[in-house]
Amino acid sequence: MPALPRVAKRNARAAGNAGEDVMALEPISHPVAGPAAFVRDLSAENAVNALVAFAFAITGPVAIVFAVAARGGLSEAQIASWIFGAFFINGLLSIAFSAAYRQPLAFFWTIPGTVLVGPALAHASFNEVVGAFLVTGLLMLMLGLTGVVRRVMDAVPLPIVMGMVAGVFLPFGLDWVKAFESDLAIALPMTATFLVISALPGLARRLPPLIVAMVVGLVAIALTRTGALPSISSGAVLAAPTLVVPQFNPATLIELVVPLAITVLVVQNGQGIAVLRTVGHAPPVNAIATACGLWSIFAGRDKRTHYTAGILLGLLALVFGLFSPFFTTLLLATPKAFIATLAGLAMLRVLQSAFATAFQGTFGIGALVAFLVTVSGMAIAGIGAPFWGLVFGTLVSRVLEHGDFAARAAEKN
């Protein structure tokens, strides 16, 4: 990549320190890692980290996708195509960015964004939701290229965003609880296993609780429901992506575009960037935002070698994406309680974090209003509750919590 002009470099440094806008993407400062470098730098620790991350991605988050898809009435082919895009295409992006920036930059999907789709599918077609995704991708691409990502991230206070997110997540926690009533033989052993392993940190580091809970659930299904799990020959195995023609409904665009962009940039990317900075990396914020936008349109100890975990995770995602029809058939054949329990257990910490961020500090009234409006499920002018949760939460906070806004502005200055 050619060197940035001196002014752009100065602006980039200022943006990293003071949150100012920039007009350039972060440069690639190291030679792009090729296959030889990847093999040389891949350690057992990095490989294990990649495997653990992959194992988590194919369990709880996938269960959430299936739960949302089921609520939206999507077909098996549409779900398989969704899983293919989420893993295969994002796997390619993860490999490219990890190799280029030599950092573990894994691209998958935002869980809050996925959950936001559920209420929208209740009154909008899948084609209209896809259209909203495309517009969201264009918006994030523009924000990344112009370097105003940080300004957007500050537009709505994080507690208010997380109040909306908590409201969107709550039904998944409730579905997990209801699974005990509908299918105790599956929900109870899965939950008990998850809690026991989670209570033993040493064991949990070697055996991810969610993975073991999934295995226990599958065993419970096999023991209680003969023939419930399909064989590998019962349907398609390799991916055959379905082309969805986007439709652009103004109400759906208003409902989804802004909340989706905020959840990607603030909730998902913000958390990942914070983790990378904690271990000494300098993640390319603008480049990440740009890649998220562009790709949405298509849909260890030594930090110098951490990038290998990102590449390996991307490679594993490619394989999973290729075989998405088989995994889709497998999961759709399981009882609803299995998906509900797996998704609910995956949501526990995320839901806890959302509530903690929303209600433990400033902007508490705005966060509460955002939560209540989102949980209500109300729609105004055909626009769903999550959007109005952000709107009303911010307005109420502006009226009642202007001191919090003033204090935040003073901290930045």
Side-chain angles (χ1 to χ4, degrees):
M1 176 177 288
L4 289 174
R6 183 173 300 175
V7 174
K9 288 182 178 178
R10 183 169 63 249
N11 287 343
R13 287 195 298 270
N17 296 326
E20 297 177 2
D21 297 345
V22 297
M23 294 300 294
L25 302 181
E26 295 84 352
I28 297 174
S29 57
H30 301 284
V32 176
F38 168 72
V39 173
R40 181 189 67 241
D41 293 336
L42 181 62
S43 64
E45 182 181 12
N46 290 329
V48 169
N49 289 337
L51 289 172
V52 170
F54 175 70
F56 175 79
I58 65 174
T59 50
V62 167
I64 292 167
V65 170
F66 274 82
V68 170
R71 289 189 176 196
L74 301 187
S75 68
E76 182 173 333
Q78 288 174 321
I79 299 174
S81 185
W82 186 351
I83 297 297
F84 170 81
F87 279 91
F88 190 88
I89 296 178
N90 284 322
L92 292 175
L93 187 58
S94 299
I95 293 171
F97 260 66
S98 297
Y101 285 96
R102 297 220 175 197
Q103 297 181 41
L105 301 174
F107 292 78
F108 280 103
W109 64 93
T110 163
I111 291 177
T114 301
V115 177
L116 279 171
V117 174
L121 285 173
H123 54 265
S125 69
F126 189 49
N127 302 71
E128 291 171 340
V129 170
V130 170
F133 268 75
L134 293 180
V135 174
T136 305
L138 289 172
L139 174 62
M140 291 191 295
L141 175 62
M142 179 183 67
L143 295 175
L145 290 175
T146 57
V148 296
V149 174
R150 290 178 179 85
R151 180 174 296 177
V152 173
M153 292 173 71
D154 290 339
V156 181
L158 183 59
I160 296 176
V161 174
M162 297 309 289
M164 179 271 288
V165 169
V168 171
F169 282 177
L170 185 62
F172 290 86
L174 296 178
D175 286 346
W176 163 57
V177 176
K178 293 175 183 176
F180 283 84
E181 181 181 15
S182 63
D183 208 326
L184 185 65
I186 293 175
L188 180 59
M190 291 179 67
T191 302
T193 300
F194 178 86
L195 295 177
V196 169
I197 295 180
S198 297
L200 303 171
L203 181 61
R205 283 193 294 269
R206 296 190 298 271
L207 295 173
L210 198 61
I211 309 301
V212 183
M214 181 189 71
V215 173
V216 169
L218 293 174
V219 171
I221 294 172
L223 293 176
T224 59
R225 287 171 172 77
T226 304
L229 298 180
S231 66
I232 196 169
S233 60
S234 62
V237 175
L238 290 177
T242 302
L243 178 63
V244 179
V245 179
Q247 295 178 359
F248 302 98
N249 183 317
T252 306
L253 295 179
I254 295 173
E255 175 180 354
L256 288 178
V257 170
V258 172
L260 280 172
I262 290 176
T263 55
V264 171
L265 298 177
V266 178
V267 181
Q268 208 73 23
N269 287 7
Q271 292 175 356
I273 288 167
V275 170
L276 287 172
R277 285 174 173 166
T278 299
V279 296
H281 291 290
V285 177
N286 292 328
I288 290 172
T290 301
C292 287
L294 183 61
W295 228 241
S296 295
I297 297 172
F298 301 112
R301 298 180 187 273
D302 184 357
K303 70 177 184 180
R304 294 172 298 179
T305 65
H306 287 174
Y307 76 92
T308 58
I311 293 178
L312 181 56
L313 179 59
L315 292 172
L316 293 171
L318 295 183
V319 176
F320 190 86
L322 283 174
F323 290 93
S324 59
F326 168 68
F327 294 111
T328 299
T329 301
L330 178 67
L331 286 174
L332 287 179
T334 60
K336 292 182 179 179
F338 174 78
I339 297 295
T341 302
L342 194 61
L345 294 175
M347 280 289 191
L348 280 181
R349 292 293 187 186
V350 184
L351 188 57
Q352 177 197 26
S353 176
F355 274 108
T357 303
F359 301 117
Q360 280 189 352
T362 56
F363 304 101
I365 294 296
L368 178 60
V369 171
F371 171 76
L372 292 175
V373 171
T374 303
V375 170
S376 74
M378 74 169 192
I380 301 176
I383 301 170
F387 173 81
W388 295 116
L390 290 177
V391 171
F392 291 129
T394 302
L395 289 177
V396 170
S397 186
R398 284 285 182 182
V399 173
L400 300 180
E401 299 174 314
H402 47 82
D404 289 343
F405 283 95
R408 188 178 67 157
E411 289 178 1
K412 293 178 181 179
N413 296 330

